Amino acid sequence: MDNQHTLNIDLSWLAAIIEGEGCITLEQSGDRRNNGNRFVVPSVFIVNTNPELIAAVGKILDLLGVGYSVYTKKWTNGWKNSIRLRVTNQ
C-alpha cells in the first residue's frame, strides 16, 4: 500500500469515528478582547472511554498538522473515565 492509500483509509476511519463517537457543532465565542462581540465557530469533539481509540485519532490529526486538546473526565461513581478530544485551531 502506498502512503496516499494509507492516508485515505485513515481519513475514512476518522470520518467514521467522528460520525459514531463525535460531534460537529457550532459554539458561541468571543470575549472582552473582542470588544464584547460574540461570534459562532465550528467545533469537532470525539468522546470515548477507550484511550487507544483517542490516541489513534490524535496520531492521524498529528500527521495532518491539526491541533487538538484532550481532557479526561474521571468519574467517582464506578463509571469508566471518559476522554474528550477537541479539535482546535492551534
Side-chain angles (χ1 to χ4, degrees), residues 53-84:
L53 183 137
I54 298 296
V57 170
K59 183 178 176 183
I60 293 170
L61 295 177
D62 287 339
L63 288 171
L64 296 171
V66 175
Y68 61 92
S69 61
V70 177
Y71 169 77
T72 300
K73 170 69 175 169
K74 297 182 187 252
W75 297 96
T76 59
N77 59 0
W79 293 356
K80 291 181 179 179
N81 295 338
S82 60
I83 307 160
R84 181 184 71 183

Side-chain angles (χ1 to χ4, degrees), residues 9-89:
I9 290 172
D10 287 347
L11 291 176
S12 297
W13 179 84
L14 180 59
I17 292 298
I18 292 170
E19 171 67 24
E21 303 294 329
C23 171
I24 300 172
T25 187
L26 298 174
E27 296 183 304
Q28 279 194 356
S29 189
D31 59 13
R32 285 177 261 154
R33 293 175 293 194
N34 195 28
N35 295 327
N37 294 330
R38 312 266 313 153
F39 50 93
V40 176
V41 294
S43 294
V44 177
F45 296 92
I46 298 167
V47 181
N48 200 278
T49 60
N50 183 339
E52 289 83 15
L53 183 137
I54 298 296
V57 170
K59 183 178 176 183
I60 293 170
L61 295 177
D62 287 339
L63 288 171
L64 296 171
V66 175
Y68 61 92
S69 61
V70 177
Y71 169 77
T72 300
K73 170 69 175 169
K74 297 182 187 252
W75 297 96
T76 59
N77 59 0
W79 293 356
K80 291 181 179 179
N81 295 338
S82 60
I83 307 160
R84 181 184 71 183
L85 182 145
R86 179 181 185 185
V87 175
T88 64
N89 62 352

